[in-house]
């Protein structure tokens, strides 16, 4: 039996969620006329409410009722769109049926996950399906992990063009201003609960090559700890552990392996959070590291978890419009090559990184999948932003006002 016709070019699944509505609003402003965009979620009434708040260009967009718990509705949704971008999390609870439906239907897929265990399971269950159907399954298309993944790709390209040798020591220093949403916290809860109950999951999360396409072939190169000690960089900036490092570093290492370790088999890649300079910076970095440790511990134990749940944002809520507007991010990545040369890449942009800036990253990812197929790398299967979209996404994000630049230092 032939597949039904594709009624939509692009569907945002989870459009009634906090980030889903932000992405829909971005597309309503930036998608070209004629692109057939739909909004999907569990409730038509809630979808109608969201659509009414969007710019006028979205007011005729069709609404699709679908639930990841209903295999038939998700299958029908995947079969009738060319690209599906989902914000429905926690992905470990709701995401796998969506990935599988897209992989079977040959539908390109994007998400915002930072859940390593979910990505691993999606790879194991759906990579072969997607490669056979031609679907591009692209995980982590927001602040997790677009700036990290594209910045390292640019470093590799610059070093390769100069004949400077493979990358060896690479470190990202993240600085940002923004807030946090209830949905992000809900994903964190699911991951913490899974690790608490499963030794196998704890082992997976601890593996720096957890997302490798071929774990046996990975080099024995030791990787920096995700929660390394407080330290001071060469320019005097004090750094602390970066909460997103555990996800981002594994995406970057998967990108390397998917390209036959083109970045270098001796690549050591780590991420930290930049805090401040001078004596005050040391104090703030220490306090930040301590606070992250206390928060992680509090999320682990039921009694303290219940106390946190009373004060933290609930699912479906997030930073105010003012907070999102005033936010920003800057990821500076320095690299040393086998030839002894040094490079620096910068990925930066305006807006709260997890929300306003992520809406740009996700929106441009979705548009690239929908419109730029002839310019994208000729690959399918379970991919990363760098391997699925590469320079096309870099160009789109630059045009959208984000910075992606690389320079040789020595």
């Amino acid at each position: 039996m032939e597949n039904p016709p594709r009624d939509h070019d692009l569907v945002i699944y989870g459009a009634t969620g906090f980030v889903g509505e932000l992405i829909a609003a971005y597309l309503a402003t930036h998608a070209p006329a004629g692109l057939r965009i739909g909004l999907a979620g569990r409730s038509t009434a809630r979808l109608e409410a969201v659509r009414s708040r969007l710019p006028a260009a979205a007011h005729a967009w069709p609404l699709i009722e679908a639930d990841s718990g209903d295999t038939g509705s998700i299958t029908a949704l995947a079969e009738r769109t060319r690209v599906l971008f989902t914000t429905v999390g926690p992905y470990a609870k709701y995401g796998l049926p969506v990935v599988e439906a897209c992989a079977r239907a040959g539908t390109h897929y994007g998400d915002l996950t930072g859940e390593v265990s979910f990505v691993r399971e999606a790879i194991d269950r759906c990579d072969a399906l997607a490669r056979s159907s031609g679907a591009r399954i692209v995980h982590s298309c927001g602040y997790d992990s677009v700036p990290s993944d594209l910045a390292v790709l640019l470093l590799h390209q610059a070093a390769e063009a100069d004949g400077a040798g493979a990358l060896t020591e690479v470190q990202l220093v993240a600085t940002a201003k923004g807030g946090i949403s209830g949905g992000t916290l809900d994903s964190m809860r699911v991951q913490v609960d899974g690790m608490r109950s499963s030794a196998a999951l704890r082992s997976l999360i601890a593996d720096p090559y957890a997302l490798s396409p071929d774990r046996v072939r990975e080099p024995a190169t030791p990787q920096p700890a995700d929660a390394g000690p407080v330290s001071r960089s060469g320019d005097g900036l004090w750094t602390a552990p970066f909460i997103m490092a555990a996800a981002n570093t594994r995406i970057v290492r998967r990108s390397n392996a998917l390209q036959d370790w083109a970045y270098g088999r001796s690549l050591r890649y780590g991420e930290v959070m930049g805090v401040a300079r001078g004596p005050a910076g040391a104090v703030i970095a220490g306090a930040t590291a301590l606070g992250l440790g206390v928060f992680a511990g509090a999320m682990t134990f039921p009694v303290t978890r219940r106390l946190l749940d009373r004060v933290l944002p609930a699912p479906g809520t997030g930073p105010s419009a003012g907070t999102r507007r005033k936010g920003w991010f800057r990821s500076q990545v320095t690299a040393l090559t086998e030839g002894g040369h040094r490079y620096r890449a910068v990925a930066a942009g305006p807006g709260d990184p997890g929300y306003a800036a992520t809406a740009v990253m996700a929106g441009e990812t979705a548009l690239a999948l929908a419109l730029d197929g002839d310019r994208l790398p000729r690959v399918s299967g379970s991919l990363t932003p760098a391997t699925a979209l590469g320079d096309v996404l870099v160009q789109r994000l630059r045009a959208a006002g984000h910075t992606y630049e690389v320079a040789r230092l020595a």
Side-chain angles (χ1 to χ4, degrees), residues 340-373:
H341 300 287
R342 294 177 59 244
Y343 290 80
R344 178 177 62 216
V346 173
D352 184 305
Y355 306 99
T358 280
V360 177
M361 297 175 207
E364 293 300 337
T365 293
L367 291 174
L369 289 171
L371 299 171
D372 299 331

PDB file of all heavy atoms in Angstrom, residues 340-373:
ATOM      1  N   GLY A 340      50.194  21.707  16.505  1.00  0.00           N
ATOM      2  CA  GLY A 340      50.581  22.716  17.474  1.00  0.00           C
ATOM      3  C   GLY A 340      49.936  24.067  17.265  1.00  0.00           C
ATOM      4  O   GLY A 340      50.322  25.047  17.903  1.00  0.00           O
ATOM      5  N   HIS A 341      48.942  24.146  16.399  1.00  0.00           N
ATOM      6  CA  HIS A 341      48.259  25.421  16.131  1.00  0.00           C
ATOM      7  C   HIS A 341      47.042  25.572  17.045  1.00  0.00           C
ATOM      8  O   HIS A 341      46.456  24.583  17.494  1.00  0.00           O
ATOM      9  CB  HIS A 341      47.841  25.495  14.664  1.00  0.00           C
ATOM     10  CG  HIS A 341      48.998  25.408  13.719  1.00  0.00           C
ATOM     11  ND1 HIS A 341      49.893  26.438  13.529  1.00  0.00           N
ATOM     12  CD2 HIS A 341      49.420  24.391  12.927  1.00  0.00           C
ATOM     13  CE1 HIS A 341      50.813  26.080  12.655  1.00  0.00           C
ATOM     14  NE2 HIS A 341      50.550  24.837  12.260  1.00  0.00           N
ATOM     15  N   ARG A 342      46.666  26.821  17.282  1.00  0.00           N
ATOM     16  CA  ARG A 342      45.537  27.132  18.147  1.00  0.00           C
ATOM     17  C   ARG A 342      44.464  27.887  17.365  1.00  0.00           C
ATOM     18  O   ARG A 342      44.785  28.778  16.556  1.00  0.00           O
ATOM     19  CB  ARG A 342      45.985  27.957  19.360  1.00  0.00           C
ATOM     20  CG  ARG A 342      46.900  27.204  20.312  1.00  0.00           C
ATOM     21  CD  ARG A 342      47.373  28.091  21.460  1.00  0.00           C
ATOM     22  NE  ARG A 342      46.242  28.608  22.232  1.00  0.00           N
ATOM     23  CZ  ARG A 342      45.930  29.891  22.331  1.00  0.00           C
ATOM     24  NH1 ARG A 342      46.657  30.819  21.700  1.00  0.00           N
ATOM     25  NH2 ARG A 342      44.904  30.281  23.063  1.00  0.00           N
ATOM     26  N   TYR A 343      43.229  27.541  17.641  1.00  0.00           N
ATOM     27  CA  TYR A 343      42.080  28.171  16.998  1.00  0.00           C
ATOM     28  C   TYR A 343      41.047  28.533  18.057  1.00  0.00           C
ATOM     29  O   TYR A 343      41.019  27.949  19.149  1.00  0.00           O
ATOM     30  CB  TYR A 343      41.429  27.220  15.982  1.00  0.00           C
ATOM     31  CG  TYR A 343      42.263  26.961  14.751  1.00  0.00           C
ATOM     32  CD1 TYR A 343      43.308  26.046  14.771  1.00  0.00           C
ATOM     33  CD2 TYR A 343      42.012  27.649  13.566  1.00  0.00           C
ATOM     34  CE1 TYR A 343      44.080  25.809  13.656  1.00  0.00           C
ATOM     35  CE2 TYR A 343      42.778  27.418  12.429  1.00  0.00           C
ATOM     36  CZ  TYR A 343      43.810  26.500  12.484  1.00  0.00           C
ATOM     37  OH  TYR A 343      44.573  26.279  11.357  1.00  0.00           O
ATOM     38  N   ARG A 344      40.196  29.483  17.702  1.00  0.00           N
ATOM     39  CA  ARG A 344      39.086  29.844  18.585  1.00  0.00           C
ATOM     40  C   ARG A 344      37.819  30.013  17.752  1.00  0.00           C
ATOM     41  O   ARG A 344      37.819  30.684  16.717  1.00  0.00           O
ATOM     42  CB  ARG A 344      39.373  31.148  19.318  1.00  0.00           C
ATOM     43  CG  ARG A 344      38.202  31.597  20.242  1.00  0.00           C
ATOM     44  CD  ARG A 344      38.550  32.849  21.002  1.00  0.00           C
ATOM     45  NE  ARG A 344      38.797  33.960  20.092  1.00  0.00           N
ATOM     46  CZ  ARG A 344      39.713  34.920  20.297  1.00  0.00           C
ATOM     47  NH1 ARG A 344      40.477  34.887  21.376  1.00  0.00           N
ATOM     48  NH2 ARG A 344      39.861  35.892  19.421  1.00  0.00           N
ATOM     49  N   ALA A 345      36.749  29.402  18.211  1.00  0.00           N
ATOM     50  CA  ALA A 345      35.433  29.582  17.600  1.00  0.00           C
ATOM     51  C   ALA A 345      34.507  30.226  18.625  1.00  0.00           C
ATOM     52  O   ALA A 345      34.634  29.985  19.825  1.00  0.00           O
ATOM     53  CB  ALA A 345      34.857  28.245  17.148  1.00  0.00           C
ATOM     54  N   VAL A 346      33.596  31.041  18.145  1.00  0.00           N
ATOM     55  CA  VAL A 346      32.604  31.683  19.003  1.00  0.00           C
ATOM     56  C   VAL A 346      31.222  31.435  18.419  1.00  0.00           C
ATOM     57  O   VAL A 346      30.986  31.663  17.224  1.00  0.00           O
ATOM     58  CB  VAL A 346      32.853  33.193  19.132  1.00  0.00           C
ATOM     59  CG1 VAL A 346      31.708  33.867  19.893  1.00  0.00           C
ATOM     60  CG2 VAL A 346      34.183  33.464  19.824  1.00  0.00           C
ATOM     61  N   ALA A 347      30.338  30.939  19.263  1.00  0.00           N
ATOM     62  CA  ALA A 347      28.913  30.835  18.927  1.00  0.00           C
ATOM     63  C   ALA A 347      28.170  31.694  19.936  1.00  0.00           C
ATOM     64  O   ALA A 347      28.325  31.503  21.147  1.00  0.00           O
ATOM     65  CB  ALA A 347      28.442  29.388  19.002  1.00  0.00           C
ATOM     66  N   ALA A 348      27.392  32.648  19.470  1.00  0.00           N
ATOM     67  CA  ALA A 348      26.742  33.588  20.388  1.00  0.00           C
ATOM     68  C   ALA A 348      25.450  34.103  19.779  1.00  0.00           C
ATOM     69  O   ALA A 348      25.225  34.005  18.569  1.00  0.00           O
ATOM     70  CB  ALA A 348      27.681  34.762  20.686  1.00  0.00           C
ATOM     71  N   GLY A 349      24.601  34.647  20.645  1.00  0.00           N
ATOM     72  CA  GLY A 349      23.356  35.215  20.141  1.00  0.00           C
ATOM     73  C   GLY A 349      22.555  35.892  21.224  1.00  0.00           C
ATOM     74  O   GLY A 349      22.792  35.679  22.416  1.00  0.00           O
ATOM     75  N   PRO A 350      21.586  36.714  20.823  1.00  0.00           N
ATOM     76  CA  PRO A 350      20.721  37.395  21.778  1.00  0.00           C
ATOM     77  C   PRO A 350      19.574  36.499  22.226  1.00  0.00           C
ATOM     78  O   PRO A 350      19.229  35.522  21.552  1.00  0.00           O
ATOM     79  CB  PRO A 350      20.199  38.582  20.965  1.00  0.00           C
ATOM     80  CG  PRO A 350      20.141  38.046  19.561  1.00  0.00           C
ATOM     81  CD  PRO A 350      21.313  37.102  19.437  1.00  0.00           C
ATOM     82  N   GLY A 351      18.986  36.856  23.359  1.00  0.00           N
ATOM     83  CA  GLY A 351      17.819  36.141  23.856  1.00  0.00           C
ATOM     84  C   GLY A 351      18.179  35.040  24.825  1.00  0.00           C
ATOM     85  O   GLY A 351      19.257  34.445  24.751  1.00  0.00           O
ATOM     86  N   ASP A 352      17.279  34.792  25.759  1.00  0.00           N
ATOM     87  CA  ASP A 352      17.453  33.699  26.721  1.00  0.00           C
ATOM     88  C   ASP A 352      17.863  32.434  25.973  1.00  0.00           C
ATOM     89  O   ASP A 352      17.171  31.990  25.054  1.00  0.00           O
ATOM     90  CB  ASP A 352      16.121  33.482  27.447  1.00  0.00           C
ATOM     91  CG  ASP A 352      16.209  32.442  28.546  1.00  0.00           C
ATOM     92  OD1 ASP A 352      16.631  31.309  28.246  1.00  0.00           O
ATOM     93  OD2 ASP A 352      15.862  32.754  29.690  1.00  0.00           O
ATOM     94  N   PRO A 353      18.995  31.829  26.346  1.00  0.00           N
ATOM     95  CA  PRO A 353      19.511  30.720  25.526  1.00  0.00           C
ATOM     96  C   PRO A 353      18.583  29.522  25.420  1.00  0.00           C
ATOM     97  O   PRO A 353      18.469  28.914  24.354  1.00  0.00           O
ATOM     98  CB  PRO A 353      20.832  30.345  26.214  1.00  0.00           C
ATOM     99  CG  PRO A 353      20.749  30.942  27.583  1.00  0.00           C
ATOM    100  CD  PRO A 353      19.909  32.162  27.450  1.00  0.00           C
ATOM    101  N   GLY A 354      17.907  29.181  26.519  1.00  0.00           N
ATOM    102  CA  GLY A 354      17.064  27.999  26.491  1.00  0.00           C
ATOM    103  C   GLY A 354      15.698  28.212  25.876  1.00  0.00           C
ATOM    104  O   GLY A 354      14.970  27.240  25.633  1.00  0.00           O
ATOM    105  N   TYR A 355      15.346  29.469  25.552  1.00  0.00           N
ATOM    106  CA  TYR A 355      13.986  29.752  25.104  1.00  0.00           C
ATOM    107  C   TYR A 355      13.977  30.651  23.873  1.00  0.00           C
ATOM    108  O   TYR A 355      13.706  30.191  22.774  1.00  0.00           O
ATOM    109  CB  TYR A 355      13.176  30.322  26.284  1.00  0.00           C
ATOM    110  CG  TYR A 355      13.292  29.352  27.425  1.00  0.00           C
ATOM    111  CD1 TYR A 355      14.204  29.565  28.459  1.00  0.00           C
ATOM    112  CD2 TYR A 355      12.585  28.153  27.412  1.00  0.00           C
ATOM    113  CE1 TYR A 355      14.381  28.616  29.458  1.00  0.00           C
ATOM    114  CE2 TYR A 355      12.758  27.201  28.403  1.00  0.00           C
ATOM    115  CZ  TYR A 355      13.654  27.434  29.425  1.00  0.00           C
ATOM    116  OH  TYR A 355      13.853  26.493  30.389  1.00  0.00           O
ATOM    117  N   ALA A 356      14.302  31.943  24.013  1.00  0.00           N
ATOM    118  CA  ALA A 356      14.307  32.823  22.844  1.00  0.00           C
ATOM    119  C   ALA A 356      15.333  32.368  21.817  1.00  0.00           C
ATOM    120  O   ALA A 356      15.029  32.239  20.622  1.00  0.00           O
ATOM    121  CB  ALA A 356      14.580  34.260  23.282  1.00  0.00           C
ATOM    122  N   ALA A 357      16.571  32.123  22.244  1.00  0.00           N
ATOM    123  CA  ALA A 357      17.604  31.689  21.299  1.00  0.00           C
ATOM    124  C   ALA A 357      17.337  30.280  20.800  1.00  0.00           C
ATOM    125  O   ALA A 357      17.579  29.963  19.627  1.00  0.00           O
ATOM    126  CB  ALA A 357      18.982  31.774  21.947  1.00  0.00           C
ATOM    127  N   THR A 358      16.837  29.427  21.669  1.00  0.00           N
ATOM    128  CA  THR A 358      16.508  28.068  21.241  1.00  0.00           C
ATOM    129  C   THR A 358      15.387  28.060  20.213  1.00  0.00           C
ATOM    130  O   THR A 358      15.382  27.247  19.284  1.00  0.00           O
ATOM    131  CB  THR A 358      16.137  27.200  22.458  1.00  0.00           C
ATOM    132  OG1 THR A 358      17.349  26.778  23.099  1.00  0.00           O
ATOM    133  CG2 THR A 358      15.336  25.973  22.065  1.00  0.00           C
ATOM    134  N   ALA A 359      14.420  28.969  20.332  1.00  0.00           N
ATOM    135  CA  ALA A 359      13.363  29.048  19.323  1.00  0.00           C
ATOM    136  C   ALA A 359      13.941  29.347  17.947  1.00  0.00           C
ATOM    137  O   ALA A 359      13.473  28.824  16.932  1.00  0.00           O
ATOM    138  CB  ALA A 359      12.339  30.109  19.717  1.00  0.00           C
ATOM    139  N   VAL A 360      14.978  30.184  17.907  1.00  0.00           N
ATOM    140  CA  VAL A 360      15.654  30.478  16.639  1.00  0.00           C
ATOM    141  C   VAL A 360      16.359  29.232  16.119  1.00  0.00           C
ATOM    142  O   VAL A 360      16.233  28.864  14.944  1.00  0.00           O
ATOM    143  CB  VAL A 360      16.651  31.637  16.812  1.00  0.00           C
ATOM    144  CG1 VAL A 360      17.410  31.895  15.510  1.00  0.00           C
ATOM    145  CG2 VAL A 360      15.935  32.903  17.269  1.00  0.00           C
ATOM    146  N   MET A 361      17.115  28.566  16.999  1.00  0.00           N
ATOM    147  CA  MET A 361      17.852  27.371  16.579  1.00  0.00           C
ATOM    148  C   MET A 361      16.905  26.279  16.091  1.00  0.00           C
ATOM    149  O   MET A 361      17.126  25.665  15.036  1.00  0.00           O
ATOM    150  CB  MET A 361      18.696  26.848  17.739  1.00  0.00           C
ATOM    151  CG  MET A 361      19.766  27.800  18.223  1.00  0.00           C
ATOM    152  SD  MET A 361      20.608  27.138  19.688  1.00  0.00           S
ATOM    153  CE  MET A 361      21.153  28.658  20.483  1.00  0.00           C
ATOM    154  N   ALA A 362      15.844  26.031  16.846  1.00  0.00           N
ATOM    155  CA  ALA A 362      14.892  25.000  16.462  1.00  0.00           C
ATOM    156  C   ALA A 362      14.143  25.390  15.196  1.00  0.00           C
ATOM    157  O   ALA A 362      13.945  24.555  14.295  1.00  0.00           O
ATOM    158  CB  ALA A 362      13.910  24.757  17.606  1.00  0.00           C
ATOM    159  N   GLY A 363      13.722  26.641  15.123  1.00  0.00           N
ATOM    160  CA  GLY A 363      13.000  27.084  13.934  1.00  0.00           C
ATOM    161  C   GLY A 363      13.833  26.980  12.675  1.00  0.00           C
ATOM    162  O   GLY A 363      13.350  26.512  11.630  1.00  0.00           O
ATOM    163  N   GLU A 364      15.084  27.390  12.754  1.00  0.00           N
ATOM    164  CA  GLU A 364      15.948  27.312  11.573  1.00  0.00           C
ATOM    165  C   GLU A 364      16.312  25.868  11.240  1.00  0.00           C
ATOM    166  O   GLU A 364      16.482  25.521  10.063  1.00  0.00           O
ATOM    167  CB  GLU A 364      17.199  28.165  11.784  1.00  0.00           C
ATOM    168  CG  GLU A 364      16.933  29.664  11.846  1.00  0.00           C
ATOM    169  CD  GLU A 364      16.301  30.227  10.575  1.00  0.00           C
ATOM    170  OE1 GLU A 364      16.450  29.607   9.503  1.00  0.00           O
ATOM    171  OE2 GLU A 364      15.645  31.288  10.655  1.00  0.00           O
ATOM    172  N   THR A 365      16.432  25.014  12.257  1.00  0.00           N
ATOM    173  CA  THR A 365      16.629  23.585  11.998  1.00  0.00           C
ATOM    174  C   THR A 365      15.454  23.018  11.222  1.00  0.00           C
ATOM    175  O   THR A 365      15.620  22.310  10.217  1.00  0.00           O
ATOM    176  CB  THR A 365      16.794  22.826  13.321  1.00  0.00           C
ATOM    177  OG1 THR A 365      18.007  23.212  13.956  1.00  0.00           O
ATOM    178  CG2 THR A 365      16.809  21.318  13.092  1.00  0.00           C
ATOM    179  N   ALA A 366      14.245  23.322  11.683  1.00  0.00           N
ATOM    180  CA  ALA A 366      13.047  22.815  11.015  1.00  0.00           C
ATOM    181  C   ALA A 366      12.947  23.333   9.580  1.00  0.00           C
ATOM    182  O   ALA A 366      12.607  22.583   8.650  1.00  0.00           O
ATOM    183  CB  ALA A 366      11.802  23.214  11.815  1.00  0.00           C
ATOM    184  N   LEU A 367      13.264  24.606   9.387  1.00  0.00           N
ATOM    185  CA  LEU A 367      13.209  25.174   8.040  1.00  0.00           C
ATOM    186  C   LEU A 367      14.274  24.551   7.137  1.00  0.00           C
ATOM    187  O   LEU A 367      14.023  24.312   5.944  1.00  0.00           O
ATOM    188  CB  LEU A 367      13.383  26.687   8.106  1.00  0.00           C
ATOM    189  CG  LEU A 367      12.212  27.452   8.736  1.00  0.00           C
ATOM    190  CD1 LEU A 367      12.570  28.928   8.892  1.00  0.00           C
ATOM    191  CD2 LEU A 367      10.942  27.298   7.904  1.00  0.00           C
ATOM    192  N   ALA A 368      15.456  24.291   7.684  1.00  0.00           N
ATOM    193  CA  ALA A 368      16.504  23.650   6.880  1.00  0.00           C
ATOM    194  C   ALA A 368      16.066  22.263   6.439  1.00  0.00           C
ATOM    195  O   ALA A 368      16.261  21.863   5.280  1.00  0.00           O
ATOM    196  CB  ALA A 368      17.797  23.577   7.676  1.00  0.00           C
ATOM    197  N   LEU A 369      15.473  21.499   7.350  1.00  0.00           N
ATOM    198  CA  LEU A 369      15.005  20.158   6.992  1.00  0.00           C
ATOM    199  C   LEU A 369      13.892  20.219   5.954  1.00  0.00           C
ATOM    200  O   LEU A 369      13.806  19.358   5.069  1.00  0.00           O
ATOM    201  CB  LEU A 369      14.515  19.437   8.248  1.00  0.00           C
ATOM    202  CG  LEU A 369      15.590  18.998   9.247  1.00  0.00           C
ATOM    203  CD1 LEU A 369      14.950  18.503  10.539  1.00  0.00           C
ATOM    204  CD2 LEU A 369      16.493  17.918   8.652  1.00  0.00           C
ATOM    205  N   ALA A 370      13.044  21.238   6.045  1.00  0.00           N
ATOM    206  CA  ALA A 370      11.904  21.337   5.131  1.00  0.00           C
ATOM    207  C   ALA A 370      12.265  21.908   3.769  1.00  0.00           C
ATOM    208  O   ALA A 370      11.659  21.542   2.753  1.00  0.00           O
ATOM    209  CB  ALA A 370      10.812  22.197   5.775  1.00  0.00           C
ATOM    210  N   LEU A 371      13.256  22.801   3.726  1.00  0.00           N
ATOM    211  CA  LEU A 371      13.505  23.574   2.506  1.00  0.00           C
ATOM    212  C   LEU A 371      14.846  23.305   1.832  1.00  0.00           C
ATOM    213  O   LEU A 371      14.993  23.596   0.638  1.00  0.00           O
ATOM    214  CB  LEU A 371      13.425  25.074   2.834  1.00  0.00           C
ATOM    215  CG  LEU A 371      12.081  25.585   3.360  1.00  0.00           C
ATOM    216  CD1 LEU A 371      12.222  27.022   3.852  1.00  0.00           C
ATOM    217  CD2 LEU A 371      11.019  25.496   2.269  1.00  0.00           C
ATOM    218  N   ASP A 372      15.813  22.790   2.564  1.00  0.00           N
ATOM    219  CA  ASP A 372      17.188  22.760   2.055  1.00  0.00           C
ATOM    220  C   ASP A 372      17.711  21.362   1.775  1.00  0.00           C
ATOM    221  O   ASP A 372      18.926  21.130   1.803  1.00  0.00           O
ATOM    222  CB  ASP A 372      18.127  23.455   3.058  1.00  0.00           C
ATOM    223  CG  ASP A 372      17.769  24.906   3.291  1.00  0.00           C
ATOM    224  OD1 ASP A 372      17.223  25.526   2.364  1.00  0.00           O
ATOM    225  OD2 ASP A 372      18.035  25.411   4.393  1.00  0.00           O
ATOM    226  N   GLY A 373      16.826  20.432   1.510  1.00  0.00           N
ATOM    227  CA  GLY A 373      17.253  19.050   1.337  1.00  0.00           C
ATOM    228  C   GLY A 373      18.346  18.860   0.318  1.00  0.00           C
ATOM    229  O   GLY A 373      19.254  18.043   0.497  1.00  0.00           O
TER     230      GLY A 373
END
